[in-house]
Amino acid sequence: MSVVESGAAPAELLERIRQKERELETLKSSLAAWEGAAERTPARDANFTSISGVAVEPLYTPLDRPQPAPEEAAYYNAAIGFPGEFPFTRGPYGTMYRTRLWTMRQFAGFGTSEETNARYHFLLERGQTGLSVAFDFPTLMGYDSDHPRSLGEVGKCGVAISSLDDMETLFSGIPLDQVSVSMTINGPAIILFAFYVVAAEKQGVTPDRLRGTVQNDILKEYQAQHAWVYPPEPALRLIIDMFQWCSRNAPKYNPISISGYHIREAGATAVQELAYTLRNGFEYVERGIERGLDVDDFAPRLSFFWDVHNDFFEEIAKFRAARRIWARHLRDRYGSTNPESWRLRTHAQTAGVTLTAQQPENNIVRVAYQALAAVLGGTQSLHTNSMDETLALPTEKAVQIALRTQQVLAYETGVPNTIDPLAGSYYVEALTDRMEAEAERIFADVDRLGGVVPGIEMGYFQREIARSAMRQQLEIEGGERTIVGVNEFTVEGEELSIPLLKVTQESEDRQRERMAAMRARRDQGQVDATLARLKDACRAGENVVEPLLDAVRAYATLYEIRAAMEEVFGAYQEPVFF
């Protein structure tokens, strides 16, 4: 448009031109500042050139294009920015994988603590850089292995952990001040956390040296996974007790992993996963502030956990939108002044729901593409599913292939050599913006319901997830969405040809024997006294972590502790919604 056509005064047009020039200057000066900071951070020992021998720069921006438009610079400055800087679209850390690769953390656990300990040593010897504990169903629900309700389920879908004795064995020979550990547990999470803290104590490791995460995200249990123990209000109280205790005693430990994974696995869309998870995160922040905690005392240790599904670009955009939303809300809505609180850090896991029992080798390919999306999205740690996980717990061979998938991605593809390489893609940026806007609309819907807990109580989240799951299933059954080896490209009479891991009854028998021996060794009077003190703390509204640790040191079991708190808090029963 010419000066005459615009209808604007020459002075106004001159100011517009100057403003556009300032956007380019701002981008140039911001890049120079980022480069200065990046140069002070040593790069990892790697060859940052392509296979053709061409040097790969750590970061690319609109300035790497000939004659970048001022409008493009303005959008970049406002919405994209630089890695490690608000709004963190391009990554939570300034140098990302140029300095340090993501943690390769394979989820593992089966049978007894001795069997799983052997698997952990196997994984660490093959280059895994962090551990992730999968618990069996009785443990997830807070039952001891010798409880009548545990019969036939002990060690079947994870490792059986019923007391400090089991936790000590689980990490035997694994220095807990050197290896970070993630634990996927929610309803009784505070109890398993206490087992972990005291097991480390037995190794001579103090809480301030512990690194890792306990999932501890109870809101998504009510929404999607259903592994709860107590009603929402006392369950939230226990989570904030952990925030408070960890901020004072275990500052390197993440007391929660706010999880979209299980929401997505239950059938939610990518946007629902994004919005419900972040809104749950805001709920935890609000509860911490209500307790009287300074947001910047606990928010830096809040972490997230995303599913990585099959839609490649949508998953990458989800990670980028999540960081931008979290940073803006923490700063502008909750008054955080510490950039560490704005920095959304996340674990990711490839989508178990996409694995197929038919032609299970195809799952290796699915997982590889999902892992690539997670890394391009900027994850801090990653679990890659094994090809056999839809059929059984994974074999050592299947686990090794899953781990090697990450290692090929890290060391052979060149993907980690430059930060957020899809930034500026018309499609990826449009997806990122769209997902951010749609998430904000869902936040408004939840706020109109009165918040997350009222939304759970009236079945809002459960119904929306169920509708999405039904739509996806009908698309597959109707042939509208192709699943290779399931509804297309099938082979007549094909038989399963991969070996499967079987957990025998012997594991359950051994675990029951271990528990009997532990109960015979401990001082029952000390167990009873510490459980009584724990119940008193629950009734008085005190922080329960210290009395809980005392009960663990006395070798009170998982169910004994669960039942003691249940006497005060009650048990949750889900209403019937549909």
Side-chain angles (χ1 to χ4, degrees):
M1 181 181 293
S2 69
V3 172
V4 174
E5 291 172 326
S6 72
E12 182 182 345
L13 288 170
L14 185 59
E15 178 54 31
R16 289 181 190 175
I17 293 168
R18 288 173 177 164
Q19 178 60 36
K20 290 180 178 181
E21 290 173 348
R22 283 196 291 268
E23 292 289 358
L24 284 169
E25 290 305 314
T26 297
L27 177 54
K28 290 175 183 176
S29 62
S30 297
L31 176 60
W34 180 88
E35 289 173 333
E39 286 171 1
R40 295 191 292 273
T41 305
R44 61 186 168 87
D45 185 14
N47 181 359
F48 296 113
T49 64
S50 71
I51 291 175
S52 303
V54 178
V56 177
E57 296 300 324
L59 190 73
Y60 292 87
T61 73
L63 297 175
D64 290 290
R65 294 170 51 164
Q67 298 181 329
E71 292 81 3
E72 185 178 8
Y75 176 77
Y76 185 93
N77 292 334
I80 302 177
F82 289 86
E85 299 177 10
F86 188 91
F88 301 97
T89 310
R90 301 199 69 179
Y93 296 107
T95 52
M96 291 297 289
Y97 307 137
R98 291 281 288 210
T99 297
R100 179 183 175 185
L101 292 171
W102 63 94
T103 300
M104 300 176 194
R105 191 190 301 279
Q106 294 299 106
F107 190 43
F110 66 94
T112 65
S113 51
E114 295 101 332
E115 291 170 293
T116 297
N117 175 263
R119 174 65 64 89
Y120 288 167
H121 283 282
F122 171 87
L123 290 167
L124 291 169
E125 287 163 5
R126 281 153 182 78
Q128 182 166 307
T129 53
L131 295 175
S132 183
V133 184
F135 296 103
D136 69 358
F137 198 63
T139 305
L140 292 173
M141 300 305 295
Y143 289 105
D144 292 341
S145 298
D146 57 1
H147 191 282
R149 289 194 176 184
S150 301
L151 184 64
E153 292 291 338
V154 175
K156 289 294 195 295
C157 66
V159 62
I161 301 293
S162 297
S163 72
L164 171 61
D165 183 54
D166 291 331
M167 191 69 85
E168 290 176 89
T169 303
L170 184 67
F171 294 112
S172 176
I174 298 171
L176 293 179
D177 58 340
Q178 297 177 33
V179 177
S180 70
V181 176
S182 171
M183 297 190 293
T184 299
I185 191 84
N186 294 281
I190 194 169
I191 306 172
L192 274 295
F193 170 72
F195 287 163
Y196 177 73
V197 169
V198 180
E201 188 179 278
K202 296 278 188 177
Q203 290 187 3
V205 178
T206 52
D208 61 297
R209 294 157 64 195
L210 293 175
R211 294 179 300 113
T213 305
V214 62
Q215 193 164 103
N216 200 26
D217 175 12
I218 200 62
L219 292 174
K220 67 92 174 56
E221 295 298 323
Y222 303 123
Q223 293 164 340
Q225 186 167 243
H226 297 179
W228 54 66
V229 176
Y230 311 113
E233 290 302 330
L236 287 164
R237 170 192 158 183
L238 294 175
I239 291 170
I240 305 308
D241 282 356
M242 283 188 59
F243 286 6
Q244 190 173 42
W245 190 89
C246 287
S247 68
R248 297 170 181 169
N249 299 282
K252 297 177 184 176
Y253 192 84
N254 303 317
I256 194 169
S257 178
I258 305 159
S259 304
Y261 189 87
H262 310 85
I263 293 170
R264 189 66 177 281
E265 293 286 292
T269 67
V271 168
Q272 287 172 333
E273 178 195 1
L274 174 68
Y276 297 169
T277 306
L278 289 173
R279 186 59 185 83
N280 289 348
F282 300 149
E283 186 75 19
Y284 294 124
V285 169
E286 290 165 9
R287 297 297 179 123
I289 293 170
E290 287 171 10
R291 175 71 68 90
L293 303 178
D294 187 306
V295 65
D296 288 325
D297 284 344
F298 67 89
R301 300 316 303 173
L302 305 184
S303 64
F304 284 79
F305 175 23
W306 301 112
D307 190 284
V308 196
H309 214 280
N310 275 339
D311 197 311
F312 185 75
F313 293 105
E314 187 173 58
E315 294 305 303
I316 296 166
K318 180 181 71 183
F319 281 78
R320 301 172 86 247
R323 287 192 291 267
R324 200 151 74 194
I325 294 167
W326 182 256
R328 187 177 65 254
H329 279 257
L330 264 289
R331 187 189 70 174
D332 300 345
R333 181 176 177 184
Y334 297 111
S336 166
T337 58
N338 181 359
E340 292 297 323
S341 299
W342 312 340
R343 196 190 309 270
L344 186 151
R345 299 162 301 110
T346 191
H347 175 64
Q349 180 174 339
T350 57
V353 75
T354 67
L355 302 179
T356 65
Q358 301 91 330
Q359 301 179 14
E361 294 89 348
N362 295 344
N363 294 328
I364 298 171
V365 182
R366 293 185 179 99
V367 165
Y369 287 128
Q370 292 165 7
L372 176 59
V375 170
L376 289 171
T379 191
Q380 278 59 71
S381 66
L382 178 62
H383 165 92
T384 35
N385 289 329
S386 299
M387 63 176 166
D388 53 359
E389 286 193 60
T390 193
L391 298 160
L393 293 174
T395 63
E396 287 189 351
K397 179 70 171 178
V399 166
Q400 182 166 294
I401 292 171
L403 178 59
R404 294 289 184 256
T405 300
Q406 292 200 50
Q407 290 166 336
V408 169
L409 178 56
Y411 297 105
E412 294 188 25
T413 65
V415 169
N417 290 351
T418 189
I419 302 164
D420 190 28
L422 293 181
S425 154
Y426 298 130
Y427 182 39
V428 170
E429 296 301 352
L431 271 176
T432 303
D433 292 345
R434 178 184 63 78
M435 295 182 81
E436 180 179 12
E438 290 182 10
E440 290 290 348
R441 284 194 288 272
I442 291 175
F443 298 157
D445 291 342
V446 174
D447 288 342
R448 279 192 290 271
L449 297 174
V452 173
V453 173
I456 289 167
E457 291 171 343
M458 63 182 68
Y460 163 77
F461 299 100
Q462 298 92 316
R463 280 192 295 269
E464 292 300 312
I465 293 169
R467 288 191 185 109
S468 172
M470 176 65 78
R471 175 188 56 78
Q472 293 176 59
Q473 186 63 33
L474 291 175
E475 287 177 353
I476 294 169
E477 292 178 3
E480 298 174 56
R481 195 168 296 278
T482 297
I483 306 296
V484 174
V486 176
N487 60 4
E488 288 286 351
F489 312 109
T490 58
V491 178
E492 183 103 22
E494 187 174 37
E495 295 182 1
L496 183 68
S497 59
I498 62 171
L500 299 178
L501 176 71
K502 296 188 185 300
V503 179
T504 67
Q505 181 61 33
E506 292 176 3
S507 293
E508 182 167 336
D509 294 341
R510 286 196 302 271
Q511 175 65 3
R512 288 173 177 270
E513 290 168 4
R514 279 179 56 89
M515 291 207 67
M518 182 275 297
R519 290 183 194 276
R521 291 194 306 269
R522 69 184 187 176
D523 182 336
Q524 188 61 44
Q526 190 178 11
V527 172
D528 294 341
T530 55
L531 290 175
R533 285 198 294 274
L534 175 60
K535 285 188 278 190
D536 289 343
C538 291
R539 292 189 188 97
E542 299 170 5
N543 189 305
V544 303
V545 175
E546 287 296 342
L548 178 53
L549 291 171
D550 287 339
V552 168
R553 293 183 184 108
Y555 288 88
T557 68
L558 171 62
Y559 183 71
E560 288 170 338
I561 295 169
R562 171 200 153 147
M565 294 198 289
E566 198 169 349
E567 281 186 35
V568 181
F569 296 146
Y572 180 68
Q573 290 188 326
E574 184 179 40
V576 177
F577 299 118
F578 49 88

